[in-house]
mmCIF file of all heavy atoms in Angstrom:
data_model
loop_
_atom_site.group_PDB
_atom_site.id
_atom_site.type_symbol
_atom_site.label_atom_id
_atom_site.label_comp_id
_atom_site.label_asym_id
_atom_site.label_seq_id
_atom_site.Cartn_x
_atom_site.Cartn_y
_atom_site.Cartn_z
ATOM 1 N N LYS A 1 -6.064 8.490 -10.634
ATOM 2 C CA LYS A 1 -6.576 9.536 -11.523
ATOM 3 C C LYS A 1 -5.448 10.487 -11.961
ATOM 4 O O LYS A 1 -5.377 10.896 -13.123
ATOM 5 C CB LYS A 1 -7.695 10.328 -10.838
ATOM 6 C CG LYS A 1 -8.894 9.482 -10.442
ATOM 7 C CD LYS A 1 -9.407 8.656 -11.593
ATOM 8 C CE LYS A 1 -10.438 7.640 -11.166
ATOM 9 N NZ LYS A 1 -10.725 6.643 -12.215
ATOM 10 N N LEU A 2 -4.570 10.838 -11.032
ATOM 11 C CA LEU A 2 -3.435 11.691 -11.378
ATOM 12 C C LEU A 2 -2.468 10.960 -12.312
ATOM 13 O O LEU A 2 -1.875 11.565 -13.203
ATOM 14 C CB LEU A 2 -2.718 12.137 -10.106
ATOM 15 C CG LEU A 2 -3.444 13.196 -9.277
ATOM 16 C CD1 LEU A 2 -2.874 13.272 -7.869
ATOM 17 C CD2 LEU A 2 -3.362 14.563 -9.954
ATOM 18 N N TYR A 3 -2.334 9.657 -12.082
ATOM 19 C CA TYR A 3 -1.465 8.836 -12.924
ATOM 20 C C TYR A 3 -1.950 8.864 -14.369
ATOM 21 O O TYR A 3 -1.166 8.993 -15.313
ATOM 22 C CB TYR A 3 -1.451 7.414 -12.371
ATOM 23 C CG TYR A 3 -0.452 6.490 -13.016
ATOM 24 C CD1 TYR A 3 0.913 6.625 -12.782
ATOM 25 C CD2 TYR A 3 -0.870 5.448 -13.847
ATOM 26 C CE1 TYR A 3 1.830 5.761 -13.360
ATOM 27 C CE2 TYR A 3 0.036 4.587 -14.425
ATOM 28 C CZ TYR A 3 1.387 4.744 -14.184
ATOM 29 O OH TYR A 3 2.290 3.895 -14.756
ATOM 30 N N MET A 4 -3.266 8.769 -14.557
ATOM 31 C CA MET A 4 -3.834 8.825 -15.904
ATOM 32 C C MET A 4 -3.700 10.230 -16.495
ATOM 33 O O MET A 4 -3.385 10.396 -17.681
ATOM 34 C CB MET A 4 -5.315 8.414 -15.869
ATOM 35 C CG MET A 4 -5.544 6.960 -15.504
ATOM 36 S SD MET A 4 -4.719 5.803 -16.638
ATOM 37 C CE MET A 4 -5.588 6.155 -18.169
ATOM 38 N N ALA A 5 -3.912 11.252 -15.657
ATOM 39 C CA ALA A 5 -3.820 12.633 -16.139
ATOM 40 C C ALA A 5 -2.405 12.979 -16.585
ATOM 41 O O ALA A 5 -2.205 13.862 -17.427
ATOM 42 C CB ALA A 5 -4.273 13.593 -15.040
ATOM 43 N N ALA A 6 -1.415 12.286 -16.030
ATOM 44 C CA ALA A 6 -0.018 12.546 -16.371
ATOM 45 C C ALA A 6 0.267 12.309 -17.849
ATOM 46 O O ALA A 6 1.171 12.929 -18.427
ATOM 47 C CB ALA A 6 0.905 11.683 -15.508
ATOM 48 N N LEU A 7 -0.477 11.429 -18.495
ATOM 49 C CA LEU A 7 -0.291 11.164 -19.922
ATOM 50 C C LEU A 7 -0.540 12.427 -20.742
ATOM 51 O O LEU A 7 0.250 12.796 -21.608
ATOM 52 C CB LEU A 7 -1.237 10.051 -20.381
ATOM 53 C CG LEU A 7 -0.885 8.624 -19.971
ATOM 54 C CD1 LEU A 7 -2.003 7.674 -20.362
ATOM 55 C CD2 LEU A 7 0.421 8.191 -20.623
ATOM 56 N N SER A 8 -1.649 13.091 -20.460
ATOM 57 C CA SER A 8 -1.982 14.318 -21.175
ATOM 58 C C SER A 8 -1.035 15.453 -20.785
ATOM 59 O O SER A 8 -0.572 16.217 -21.649
ATOM 60 C CB SER A 8 -3.431 14.716 -20.860
ATOM 61 O OG SER A 8 -3.749 15.957 -21.434
ATOM 62 N N ALA A 9 -0.735 15.546 -19.474
ATOM 63 C CA ALA A 9 0.159 16.612 -18.997
ATOM 64 C C ALA A 9 1.544 16.511 -19.628
ATOM 65 O O ALA A 9 2.187 17.523 -19.909
ATOM 66 C CB ALA A 9 0.261 16.556 -17.474
ATOM 67 N N SER A 10 2.007 15.284 -19.878
ATOM 68 C CA SER A 10 3.333 15.077 -20.483
ATOM 69 C C SER A 10 3.418 15.640 -21.899
ATOM 70 O O SER A 10 4.505 15.949 -22.392
ATOM 71 C CB SER A 10 3.662 13.580 -20.528
ATOM 72 O OG SER A 10 3.767 13.056 -19.234
ATOM 73 N N LYS A 11 2.267 15.768 -22.544
ATOM 74 C CA LYS A 11 2.243 16.257 -23.924
ATOM 75 C C LYS A 11 1.942 17.745 -24.009
ATOM 76 O O LYS A 11 2.515 18.458 -24.841
ATOM 77 C CB LYS A 11 1.181 15.493 -24.731
ATOM 78 C CG LYS A 11 1.467 14.015 -24.906
ATOM 79 C CD LYS A 11 0.345 13.348 -25.687
ATOM 80 C CE LYS A 11 0.583 11.853 -25.863
ATOM 81 N NZ LYS A 11 -0.537 11.205 -26.598
ATOM 82 N N TYR A 12 1.023 18.230 -23.148
ATOM 83 C CA TYR A 12 0.484 19.574 -23.358
ATOM 84 C C TYR A 12 0.812 20.584 -22.254
ATOM 85 O O TYR A 12 0.577 21.773 -22.428
ATOM 86 C CB TYR A 12 -1.037 19.490 -23.519
ATOM 87 C CG TYR A 12 -1.453 18.537 -24.613
ATOM 88 C CD1 TYR A 12 -2.106 17.340 -24.318
ATOM 89 C CD2 TYR A 12 -1.181 18.831 -25.951
ATOM 90 C CE1 TYR A 12 -2.460 16.456 -25.323
ATOM 91 C CE2 TYR A 12 -1.545 17.955 -26.966
ATOM 92 C CZ TYR A 12 -2.194 16.763 -26.640
ATOM 93 O OH TYR A 12 -2.540 15.889 -27.638
ATOM 94 N N ASN A 13 1.316 20.116 -21.109
ATOM 95 C CA ASN A 13 1.673 21.010 -20.016
ATOM 96 C C ASN A 13 3.175 21.288 -20.106
ATOM 97 O O ASN A 13 3.982 20.364 -19.930
ATOM 98 C CB ASN A 13 1.320 20.328 -18.685
ATOM 99 C CG ASN A 13 1.548 21.217 -17.485
ATOM 100 O OD1 ASN A 13 2.607 21.799 -17.325
ATOM 101 N ND2 ASN A 13 0.554 21.280 -16.611
ATOM 102 N N PRO A 14 3.606 22.514 -20.422
ATOM 103 C CA PRO A 14 5.035 22.780 -20.680
ATOM 104 C C PRO A 14 5.978 22.297 -19.579
ATOM 105 O O PRO A 14 7.008 21.687 -19.873
ATOM 106 C CB PRO A 14 5.072 24.308 -20.815
ATOM 107 C CG PRO A 14 3.713 24.681 -21.273
ATOM 108 C CD PRO A 14 2.779 23.726 -20.593
ATOM 109 N N SER A 15 5.663 22.572 -18.316
ATOM 110 C CA SER A 15 6.546 22.160 -17.216
ATOM 111 C C SER A 15 6.617 20.640 -17.101
ATOM 112 O O SER A 15 7.697 20.070 -16.887
ATOM 113 C CB SER A 15 6.060 22.757 -15.897
ATOM 114 O OG SER A 15 6.131 24.155 -15.927
ATOM 115 N N CYS A 16 5.467 19.984 -17.247
ATOM 116 C CA CYS A 16 5.429 18.524 -17.156
ATOM 117 C C CYS A 16 6.138 17.882 -18.351
ATOM 118 O O CYS A 16 6.828 16.868 -18.202
ATOM 119 C CB CYS A 16 3.981 18.039 -17.074
ATOM 120 S SG CYS A 16 3.140 18.508 -15.548
ATOM 121 N N LYS A 17 5.951 18.477 -19.517
ATOM 122 C CA LYS A 17 6.613 17.967 -20.721
ATOM 123 C C LYS A 17 8.128 18.086 -20.592
ATOM 124 O O LYS A 17 8.875 17.163 -20.934
ATOM 125 C CB LYS A 17 6.126 18.739 -21.949
ATOM 126 C CG LYS A 17 6.697 18.218 -23.262
ATOM 127 C CD LYS A 17 6.141 19.014 -24.440
ATOM 128 C CE LYS A 17 6.723 18.490 -25.751
ATOM 129 N NZ LYS A 17 6.214 19.278 -26.912
ATOM 130 N N ALA A 18 8.591 19.226 -20.069
ATOM 131 C CA ALA A 18 10.037 19.439 -19.881
ATOM 132 C C ALA A 18 10.603 18.442 -18.869
ATOM 133 O O ALA A 18 11.705 17.908 -19.054
ATOM 134 C CB ALA A 18 10.297 20.867 -19.413
ATOM 135 N N LEU A 19 9.849 18.177 -17.808
ATOM 136 C CA LEU A 19 10.279 17.196 -16.808
ATOM 137 C C LEU A 19 10.401 15.813 -17.433
ATOM 138 O O LEU A 19 11.393 15.099 -17.212
ATOM 139 C CB LEU A 19 9.273 17.163 -15.648
ATOM 140 C CG LEU A 19 9.485 16.086 -14.590
ATOM 141 C CD1 LEU A 19 10.832 16.265 -13.882
ATOM 142 C CD2 LEU A 19 8.345 16.091 -13.569
ATOM 143 N N LYS A 20 9.412 15.438 -18.230
ATOM 144 C CA LYS A 20 9.432 14.136 -18.906
ATOM 145 C C LYS A 20 10.665 14.010 -19.808
ATOM 146 O O LYS A 20 11.365 12.984 -19.787
ATOM 147 C CB LYS A 20 8.160 13.968 -19.726
ATOM 148 C CG LYS A 20 8.125 12.723 -20.621
ATOM 149 C CD LYS A 20 6.788 12.643 -21.336
ATOM 150 C CE LYS A 20 6.727 11.456 -22.272
ATOM 151 N NZ LYS A 20 7.437 11.671 -23.535
ATOM 152 N N GLU A 21 10.952 15.044 -20.565
ATOM 153 C CA GLU A 21 12.092 15.011 -21.494
ATOM 154 C C GLU A 21 13.427 14.926 -20.743
ATOM 155 O O GLU A 21 14.340 14.211 -21.166
ATOM 156 C CB GLU A 21 12.050 16.241 -22.396
ATOM 157 C CG GLU A 21 10.898 16.188 -23.400
ATOM 158 C CD GLU A 21 10.709 17.496 -24.156
ATOM 159 O OE1 GLU A 21 11.383 18.485 -23.792
ATOM 160 O OE2 GLU A 21 9.885 17.533 -25.098
ATOM 161 N N ARG A 22 13.537 15.652 -19.622
ATOM 162 C CA ARG A 22 14.771 15.586 -18.821
ATOM 163 C C ARG A 22 14.985 14.185 -18.272
ATOM 164 O O ARG A 22 16.101 13.657 -18.290
ATOM 165 C CB ARG A 22 14.709 16.589 -17.654
ATOM 166 C CG ARG A 22 14.851 18.037 -18.054
ATOM 167 C CD ARG A 22 15.184 18.919 -16.867
ATOM 168 N NE ARG A 22 14.215 18.818 -15.783
ATOM 169 C CZ ARG A 22 13.132 19.580 -15.687
ATOM 170 N NH1 ARG A 22 12.862 20.485 -16.626
ATOM 171 N NH2 ARG A 22 12.316 19.447 -14.670
ATOM 172 N N MET A 23 13.923 13.579 -17.786
ATOM 173 C CA MET A 23 14.039 12.245 -17.206
ATOM 174 C C MET A 23 14.317 11.188 -18.267
ATOM 175 O O MET A 23 15.044 10.224 -18.030
ATOM 176 C CB MET A 23 12.768 11.902 -16.410
ATOM 177 C CG MET A 23 12.588 12.767 -15.167
ATOM 178 S SD MET A 23 11.161 12.301 -14.157
ATOM 179 C CE MET A 23 11.746 10.769 -13.413
ATOM 180 N N GLU A 24 13.757 11.379 -19.462
ATOM 181 C CA GLU A 24 14.031 10.456 -20.567
ATOM 182 C C GLU A 24 15.508 10.493 -20.951
ATOM 183 O O GLU A 24 16.127 9.464 -21.224
ATOM 184 C CB GLU A 24 13.155 10.807 -21.769
ATOM 185 C CG GLU A 24 11.713 10.349 -21.633
ATOM 186 C CD GLU A 24 10.848 10.765 -22.803
ATOM 187 O OE1 GLU A 24 11.219 11.750 -23.500
ATOM 188 O OE2 GLU A 24 9.810 10.137 -23.026
ATOM 189 N N LYS A 25 16.079 11.703 -20.969
ATOM 190 C CA LYS A 25 17.511 11.845 -21.295
ATOM 191 C C LYS A 25 18.391 11.140 -20.268
ATOM 192 O O LYS A 25 19.480 10.669 -20.598
ATOM 193 C CB LYS A 25 17.875 13.323 -21.378
ATOM 194 C CG LYS A 25 17.364 14.007 -22.633
ATOM 195 C CD LYS A 25 17.757 15.477 -22.656
ATOM 196 C CE LYS A 25 17.220 16.167 -23.903
ATOM 197 N NZ LYS A 25 17.543 17.614 -23.918
ATOM 198 N N ARG A 26 17.908 11.090 -19.026
ATOM 199 C CA ARG A 26 18.674 10.414 -17.971
ATOM 200 C C ARG A 26 18.412 8.909 -17.939
ATOM 201 O O ARG A 26 18.932 8.209 -17.078
ATOM 202 C CB ARG A 26 18.350 11.022 -16.605
ATOM 203 C CG ARG A 26 18.745 12.493 -16.485
ATOM 204 C CD ARG A 26 18.941 12.907 -15.040
ATOM 205 N NE ARG A 26 17.769 12.695 -14.213
ATOM 206 C CZ ARG A 26 16.826 13.622 -14.006
ATOM 207 N NH1 ARG A 26 16.923 14.817 -14.592
ATOM 208 N NH2 ARG A 26 15.814 13.368 -13.233
ATOM 209 N N GLY A 27 17.579 8.439 -18.874
ATOM 210 C CA GLY A 27 17.314 7.008 -18.987
ATOM 211 C C GLY A 27 16.353 6.458 -17.949
ATOM 212 O O GLY A 27 16.351 5.255 -17.670
ATOM 213 N N LYS A 28 15.494 7.308 -17.389
ATOM 214 C CA LYS A 28 14.546 6.852 -16.375
ATOM 215 C C LYS A 28 13.437 6.007 -16.998
ATOM 216 O O LYS A 28 13.028 6.225 -18.142
ATOM 217 C CB LYS A 28 13.930 8.048 -15.641
ATOM 218 C CG LYS A 28 14.940 8.898 -14.869
ATOM 219 C CD LYS A 28 15.584 8.119 -13.731
ATOM 220 C CE LYS A 28 16.535 8.983 -12.925
ATOM 221 N NZ LYS A 28 17.177 8.234 -11.834
ATOM 222 N N HIS A 29 12.950 5.046 -16.217
ATOM 223 C CA HIS A 29 11.875 4.163 -16.673
ATOM 224 C C HIS A 29 10.587 4.976 -16.865
ATOM 225 O O HIS A 29 10.333 5.935 -16.129
ATOM 226 C CB HIS A 29 11.644 3.060 -15.638
ATOM 227 C CG HIS A 29 10.752 1.957 -16.123
ATOM 228 N ND1 HIS A 29 9.384 2.018 -16.022
ATOM 229 C CD2 HIS A 29 11.044 0.773 -16.719
ATOM 230 C CE1 HIS A 29 8.859 0.906 -16.524
ATOM 231 N NE2 HIS A 29 9.847 0.136 -16.958
ATOM 232 N N HIS A 30 9.773 4.578 -17.850
ATOM 233 C CA HIS A 30 8.586 5.364 -18.198
ATOM 234 C C HIS A 30 7.588 5.471 -17.039
ATOM 235 O O HIS A 30 6.899 6.486 -16.891
ATOM 236 C CB HIS A 30 7.904 4.784 -19.443
ATOM 237 C CG HIS A 30 7.296 3.433 -19.239
ATOM 238 N ND1 HIS A 30 6.010 3.250 -18.796
ATOM 239 C CD2 HIS A 30 7.825 2.181 -19.405
ATOM 240 C CE1 HIS A 30 5.752 1.951 -18.714
ATOM 241 N NE2 HIS A 30 6.828 1.290 -19.076
ATOM 242 N N GLU A 31 7.524 4.445 -16.195
ATOM 243 C CA GLU A 31 6.586 4.513 -15.063
ATOM 244 C C GLU A 31 7.035 5.556 -14.045
ATOM 245 O O GLU A 31 6.216 6.276 -13.463
ATOM 246 C CB GLU A 31 6.443 3.143 -14.405
ATOM 247 C CG GLU A 31 5.610 2.175 -15.222
ATOM 248 C CD GLU A 31 5.251 0.922 -14.444
ATOM 249 O OE1 GLU A 31 5.534 0.871 -13.226
ATOM 250 O OE2 GLU A 31 4.685 0.013 -15.058
ATOM 251 N N LYS A 32 8.353 5.620 -13.797
ATOM 252 C CA LYS A 32 8.863 6.628 -12.866
ATOM 253 C C LYS A 32 8.651 8.033 -13.423
ATOM 254 O O LYS A 32 8.361 8.975 -12.677
ATOM 255 C CB LYS A 32 10.347 6.395 -12.590
ATOM 256 C CG LYS A 32 10.609 5.182 -11.707
ATOM 257 C CD LYS A 32 12.048 5.140 -11.249
ATOM 258 C CE LYS A 32 12.256 3.964 -10.291
ATOM 259 N NZ LYS A 32 13.641 3.909 -9.772
ATOM 260 N N ILE A 33 8.783 8.170 -14.741
ATOM 261 C CA ILE A 33 8.546 9.461 -15.375
ATOM 262 C C ILE A 33 7.087 9.875 -15.180
ATOM 263 O O ILE A 33 6.783 11.026 -14.834
ATOM 264 C CB ILE A 33 8.897 9.408 -16.874
ATOM 265 C CG1 ILE A 33 10.400 9.166 -17.058
ATOM 266 C CG2 ILE A 33 8.453 10.679 -17.584
ATOM 267 C CD1 ILE A 33 10.813 8.930 -18.498
ATOM 268 N N ARG A 34 6.199 8.927 -15.383
ATOM 269 C CA ARG A 34 4.771 9.230 -15.286
ATOM 270 C C ARG A 34 4.384 9.632 -13.862
ATOM 271 O O ARG A 34 3.590 10.559 -13.653
ATOM 272 C CB ARG A 34 3.975 7.993 -15.720
ATOM 273 C CG ARG A 34 2.543 8.294 -16.111
ATOM 274 C CD ARG A 34 2.015 7.153 -16.905
ATOM 275 N NE ARG A 34 0.567 7.109 -16.934
ATOM 276 C CZ ARG A 34 -0.139 6.100 -17.436
ATOM 277 N NH1 ARG A 34 0.485 5.063 -17.949
ATOM 278 N NH2 ARG A 34 -1.443 6.130 -17.430
ATOM 279 N N ILE A 35 4.967 8.961 -12.882
ATOM 280 C CA ILE A 35 4.695 9.296 -11.488
ATOM 281 C C ILE A 35 5.244 10.680 -11.153
ATOM 282 O O ILE A 35 4.609 11.478 -10.454
ATOM 283 C CB ILE A 35 5.291 8.235 -10.544
ATOM 284 C CG1 ILE A 35 4.489 6.928 -10.634
ATOM 285 C CG2 ILE A 35 5.311 8.733 -9.103
ATOM 286 C CD1 ILE A 35 3.032 7.056 -10.205
ATOM 287 N N ALA A 36 6.449 10.993 -11.658
ATOM 288 C CA ALA A 36 7.045 12.307 -11.412
ATOM 289 C C ALA A 36 6.172 13.409 -12.022
ATOM 290 O O ALA A 36 5.992 14.474 -11.426
ATOM 291 C CB ALA A 36 8.450 12.361 -12.006
ATOM 292 N N VAL A 37 5.618 13.134 -13.194
ATOM 293 C CA VAL A 37 4.738 14.107 -13.849
ATOM 294 C C VAL A 37 3.446 14.272 -13.042
ATOM 295 O O VAL A 37 2.947 15.394 -12.873
ATOM 296 C CB VAL A 37 4.430 13.673 -15.299
ATOM 297 C CG1 VAL A 37 3.327 14.541 -15.902
ATOM 298 C CG2 VAL A 37 5.689 13.759 -16.154
ATOM 299 N N ALA A 38 2.913 13.164 -12.534
ATOM 300 C CA ALA A 38 1.706 13.230 -11.702
ATOM 301 C C ALA A 38 1.946 14.087 -10.464
ATOM 302 O O ALA A 38 1.106 14.898 -10.063
ATOM 303 C CB ALA A 38 1.265 11.824 -11.302
ATOM 304 N N SER A 39 3.123 13.907 -9.860
ATOM 305 C CA SER A 39 3.494 14.708 -8.692
ATOM 306 C C SER A 39 3.608 16.185 -9.055
ATOM 307 O O SER A 39 3.138 17.066 -8.330
ATOM 308 C CB SER A 39 4.818 14.193 -8.124
ATOM 309 O OG SER A 39 5.256 14.994 -7.060
ATOM 310 N N LYS A 40 4.227 16.461 -10.195
ATOM 311 C CA LYS A 40 4.376 17.839 -10.679
ATOM 312 C C LYS A 40 3.004 18.475 -10.896
ATOM 313 O O LYS A 40 2.763 19.641 -10.531
ATOM 314 C CB LYS A 40 5.153 17.823 -11.992
ATOM 315 C CG LYS A 40 5.428 19.184 -12.601
ATOM 316 C CD LYS A 40 6.592 19.838 -11.920
ATOM 317 C CE LYS A 40 7.072 21.055 -12.650
ATOM 318 N NZ LYS A 40 8.192 21.711 -11.967
ATOM 319 N N LEU A 41 2.103 17.707 -11.475
ATOM 320 C CA LEU A 41 0.762 18.201 -11.762
ATOM 321 C C LEU A 41 0.023 18.557 -10.470
ATOM 322 O O LEU A 41 -0.627 19.602 -10.376
ATOM 323 C CB LEU A 41 -0.011 17.146 -12.552
ATOM 324 C CG LEU A 41 -1.330 17.571 -13.195
ATOM 325 C CD1 LEU A 41 -1.107 18.703 -14.195
ATOM 326 C CD2 LEU A 41 -1.992 16.378 -13.883
ATOM 327 N N LEU A 42 0.140 17.692 -9.468
ATOM 328 C CA LEU A 42 -0.520 17.958 -8.189
ATOM 329 C C LEU A 42 0.076 19.202 -7.517
ATOM 330 O O LEU A 42 -0.637 19.987 -6.889
ATOM 331 C CB LEU A 42 -0.404 16.748 -7.265
ATOM 332 C CG LEU A 42 -1.093 16.872 -5.897
ATOM 333 C CD1 LEU A 42 -2.558 17.265 -6.042
ATOM 334 C CD2 LEU A 42 -0.975 15.574 -5.110
ATOM 335 N N ARG A 43 1.372 19.399 -7.656
ATOM 336 C CA ARG A 43 2.008 20.594 -7.099
ATOM 337 C C ARG A 43 1.486 21.861 -7.790
ATOM 338 O O ARG A 43 1.287 22.896 -7.131
ATOM 339 C CB ARG A 43 3.532 20.499 -7.249
ATOM 340 C CG ARG A 43 4.182 19.490 -6.315
ATOM 341 C CD ARG A 43 5.617 19.221 -6.713
ATOM 342 N NE ARG A 43 6.224 18.196 -5.873
ATOM 343 C CZ ARG A 43 6.893 18.428 -4.747
ATOM 344 N NH1 ARG A 43 7.043 19.668 -4.320
ATOM 345 N NH2 ARG A 43 7.399 17.432 -4.048
ATOM 346 N N GLN A 44 1.265 21.786 -9.086
ATOM 347 C CA GLN A 44 0.700 22.925 -9.802
ATOM 348 C C GLN A 44 -0.730 23.207 -9.315
ATOM 349 O O GLN A 44 -1.102 24.374 -9.113
ATOM 350 C CB GLN A 44 0.697 22.652 -11.306
ATOM 351 C CG GLN A 44 2.075 22.646 -11.934
ATOM 352 C CD GLN A 44 2.034 22.387 -13.432
ATOM 353 O OE1 GLN A 44 0.989 22.043 -13.988
ATOM 354 N NE2 GLN A 44 3.164 22.561 -14.099
ATOM 355 N N ILE A 45 -1.501 22.137 -9.147
ATOM 356 C CA ILE A 45 -2.873 22.288 -8.650
ATOM 357 C C ILE A 45 -2.862 22.948 -7.274
ATOM 358 O O ILE A 45 -3.639 23.859 -6.986
ATOM 359 C CB ILE A 45 -3.579 20.915 -8.587
ATOM 360 C CG1 ILE A 45 -3.801 20.367 -9.996
ATOM 361 C CG2 ILE A 45 -4.907 21.028 -7.846
ATOM 362 C CD1 ILE A 45 -4.256 18.914 -10.030
ATOM 363 N N PHE A 46 -1.956 22.472 -6.406
ATOM 364 C CA PHE A 46 -1.840 23.024 -5.053
ATOM 365 C C PHE A 46 -1.557 24.528 -5.111
ATOM 366 O O PHE A 46 -2.212 25.324 -4.422
ATOM 367 C CB PHE A 46 -0.724 22.307 -4.296
ATOM 368 C CG PHE A 46 -0.419 22.894 -2.946
ATOM 369 C CD1 PHE A 46 -1.146 22.500 -1.831
ATOM 370 C CD2 PHE A 46 0.590 23.843 -2.787
ATOM 371 C CE1 PHE A 46 -0.877 23.051 -0.580
ATOM 372 C CE2 PHE A 46 0.868 24.393 -1.548
ATOM 373 C CZ PHE A 46 0.136 23.992 -0.434
ATOM 374 N N ALA A 47 -0.590 24.941 -5.926
ATOM 375 C CA ALA A 47 -0.209 26.352 -6.008
ATOM 376 C C ALA A 47 -1.369 27.221 -6.487
ATOM 377 O O ALA A 47 -1.619 28.314 -5.951
ATOM 378 C CB ALA A 47 0.994 26.511 -6.930
ATOM 379 N N VAL A 48 -2.088 26.728 -7.480
ATOM 380 C CA VAL A 48 -3.193 27.490 -8.056
ATOM 381 C C VAL A 48 -4.351 27.617 -7.067
ATOM 382 O O VAL A 48 -4.901 28.715 -6.863
ATOM 383 C CB VAL A 48 -3.657 26.820 -9.368
ATOM 384 C CG1 VAL A 48 -5.038 27.317 -9.774
ATOM 385 C CG2 VAL A 48 -2.660 27.088 -10.485
#
C-alpha cells in the first residue's frame, strides 16, 4: 500500500518529490526511488 502511495507522493508531496529528483540525478533505478519515497512517507506519518 505504501509502495502504491509513493506514486502520488512523488508528484505532490514536496519532500518526497525532492527525494525522487535527487535520486534520479544520481541515476538510481525507478523501483529503488519508489521504495525510498515510500519509506519517506512512512517517516512523515510517524512524525505526525
Side-chain angles (χ1 to χ4, degrees):
K1 300 308 170 192
L2 286 163
Y3 188 72
M4 293 302 296
L7 285 173
S8 175
S10 296
K11 295 179 181 179
Y12 305 112
N13 185 309
S15 296
C16 293
K17 184 179 180 181
L19 174 62
K20 173 178 178 282
E21 290 171 352
R22 287 197 304 271
M23 293 184 73
E24 283 177 337
K25 286 180 181 178
R26 297 203 302 268
K28 298 295 183 181
H29 191 274
H30 67 89
E31 286 191 7
K32 287 191 176 182
I33 295 173
R34 199 162 160 189
I35 288 298
V37 170
S39 176
K40 182 80 169 179
L41 192 60
L42 182 54
R43 288 167 183 269
Q44 290 181 351
I45 292 169
F46 174 86
V48 163

